[in-house]
Amino acid sequence: MKEFLLGLRLLLGSGRGNRTRFLLMVAGSAIGACCLAVVLAIPGMLAAQDARKAAREPDCSNGLGACNGGEGTGLSLTRMDPYGADSLTRIFVAQGSKPIAPPPGLRALPSPGEVFLSPRLHEALREDPGLAKMLPGHEAGIISARGLAHPDELYAYIGVRRDEIREGGHLTAFGNKHTDFPTVDSSTLDILRFTLAGIVLLPLAVFLSVCARLSAAARARRLAALRLLGLSRRGLQRVNAAETVVAALLGAALGLGGYWVVNQLMSRIGLPGFDWYPSDGSLPFTAVLVCLVGCPTLAWFVSRFGAKRAAEDPLAVRRSAEAKPPALWGLVPLIPGLGIVVGYCVVGAAGHAPRDTKLSSLLMPIAVVLVGVGIVLTLPALSRALARRIATTTGSLSLSLAMRRNEVEPSGTLRVATGLVILVYAASLTQGVLIELDQVSKNTAAVQAYNVELPELSEEAQRAVGKVSGIRSHVVQTMSWADSDELESPPSVQAVIATCGQLRAMASRLTGCVEGQPARLSVPEQTYEEAGPPGMRIPFRLVDREGRHKTLTVQVPQRTVHYQDDAVFSTISGGTLLIPPSFLPEGFRPEFGTLQLLSDSTPHVVRSVLEGIAAVDPTLEVETEGVDIAALRQISVIKTLLGVGMVLGLVIGVAAYLVAATDRAMERKPQVTALSLLGARRRTLRAVQVVQVVLPLAVGLLLAVVTGKAAESSYLVTGGGSIFWDGDGVPLLLASAVGAVVVAALGALPLIGRRIDPELIRRD
């Protein structure tokens, strides 16, 4: 305790320079703790949203569990549709004689003809009156925050009669243990954790270590004096820890306060693709404990390392003896990390990429961390070796002075450069994650296909849906019928019922089609599935509106029609039979099948088509091919959170540079003053400062770009996607590296001032 108080007294009474460094340490720790709090709060935000989703899940909505049918049981039907880039969720509710407690956010369940809307959907309905076709009834109220996952959710409860829900499940209550539609599923959440660890936590650890090592040379001399006066080694470590631990603790407290302000502001503003309520961002006790204990603990360990030389050889520190060259301990984590990374790159290039193995999911995060730590630990030795070689061969005074300083004190310059090096390394990893996410199935084609099951449509509704504004054309797809009582039945064959005009309106290329004649369809780039030998008889089951059945038998024709459309997945597969509608008896249609429609893929056309189909029957389930709205919503959330991580990484990298550069400017003043008094020109000194920072930084950035691209490629190899090698991202990484070098060079110029203060070297 006495040593700890001695450290505080030395801090308060050691001059303005040391107090300035202490404030820098506090500010740096506050920034780091705030960034750490943001990362720790993200899982809580997602869990809070999923908890509210689970609390409103219609129980037994799929007819499972202990629910029994009957007039007394309610019914519910869930429909999710794309609305622009968002998901529109509609819950149709039909009450029975048994009372049902309303879901969170509602005071009572909607009666037939009533609609309860989320605030965002209420505003969207004002801006888009056509949306009312999907929300039949009059608005009876607004869903409160307790019933919404996030403030901008498009959500509605619609009251209907029991006969209006055909495929709904029984409803007895609302609430479930888990939600069927999590904000981010577990596998995608693993990607988020992995990336945030690389782009935030690793640079954050480096940054906090830099903050704890500020004014390292001056503090080492002060500690060496205390050691020579008889202070024990442990006492010396406690004295050194007093300043760093107090700074880290104050910084952590300020950082938590800063996070509270940021959470209150950003939750009200929102982020593109992700928003939350202020209460969702509240830090759990464990996260607060991690910030308040973790930051001082890291500072304690770093301070113990910083006091090691002063404790073991205080006389050499006081006399500024030449320090031992940095050890090559950085190769210990770097070599195995690169071994894993290069190994995955090799197996990917050989065409034997692993697919979602547990081993890969374990090895990749380990490799990324090992490579990142290895880069940081290897830079001092690499910088010193390079500086010694250049200093012995160059004839430039500026370059020689800069390299000799880097040779004597390689870690001083690298405190400035490390944050920017790790930032470029993390940027490459993030790019790989974004590439993997972009490979998620989504509609990028010029057309949009829709599927509606025929049994859900009456004959009149089928005709009405086919005439919806925006629809280019429509066809009916069905499968052949096999009698289960027959021992040998013909193979199942897919067929499309359409005229040549209907096919031509859907196709970008159609050749060989003759109106009124059946044919076999051939689709490019698809395996041709033979319907059967020509002349083979294929039965199809038909039904009329009164439920009477009839069998239509079609012979496999000789004619082949070549078909191609612009959809992401071709709406028609190879080997399909083309059956003219005239072959169907009057009043009959396939018993089972799909009504397939095609439109332009522009958002307003898709929205108009969905609204038109809802005008025919709002409870219809419409499958939008190539668009997984739940997956796209998750991807949007992940990209936003990765953007937050990149911003945090940028803040950490720039803050590490600014804090370390400011500290180095103060630490280098005596040496700069001595050179000025010896006659060195200001231009020469500035060149020395720039080269001293830029050269090791350039080497570190080159290492970060190479290892980062290798880590990115290995991550893509283990991700199971179609892209392994991304050359498009190299120019962006190189531009980022050049930008970091320019920033470091400009930041080194102000270190040389116009005023010479001999007092700075009086004691020397």
Side-chain angles (χ1 to χ4, degrees), residues 516-531:
Q517 295 187 10
R520 293 173 297 170
L521 293 176
S522 174
V523 181
E525 300 180 359
Q526 283 196 14
T527 303
Y528 187 79
E529 299 178 3
E530 184 65 50

Side-chain angles (χ1 to χ4, degrees), residues 205-206 208-214 219 240 244 295-308:
V206 173
L208 292 175
S209 300
V210 167
C211 292
R213 288 281 291 154
L214 293 181
R219 288 161 63 190
N240 190 37
T244 55
C295 294
T297 301
L298 179 61
W300 166 265
F301 282 106
V302 173
S303 67
R304 286 174 61 91
F305 175 78
K308 183 178 180 180

Side-chain angles (χ1 to χ4, degrees), residues 31-41 200-201 204 208 290-291 295 648:
I31 294 172
C34 184
C35 294
L36 179 61
V38 172
V39 175
L40 295 176
V200 179
L201 297 184
L204 182 60
L208 292 175
V290 167
C291 293
C295 294
L648 293 178

Side-chain angles (χ1 to χ4, degrees), residues 202 205-206 209 302 305 325-335 369-384 410-411 414 418 421-422 700 703:
L202 181 58
V206 173
S209 300
V302 173
F305 175 78
L328 295 177
W329 287 109
L331 296 177
V332 174
L334 185 62
I335 291 177
V369 174
L370 288 178
V371 172
V373 172
I375 291 175
V376 175
L377 297 179
T378 307
L379 280 179
L382 186 62
S383 174
R384 185 179 186 276
S411 59
L414 291 170
T418 302
V421 170
I422 292 298
L703 183 61

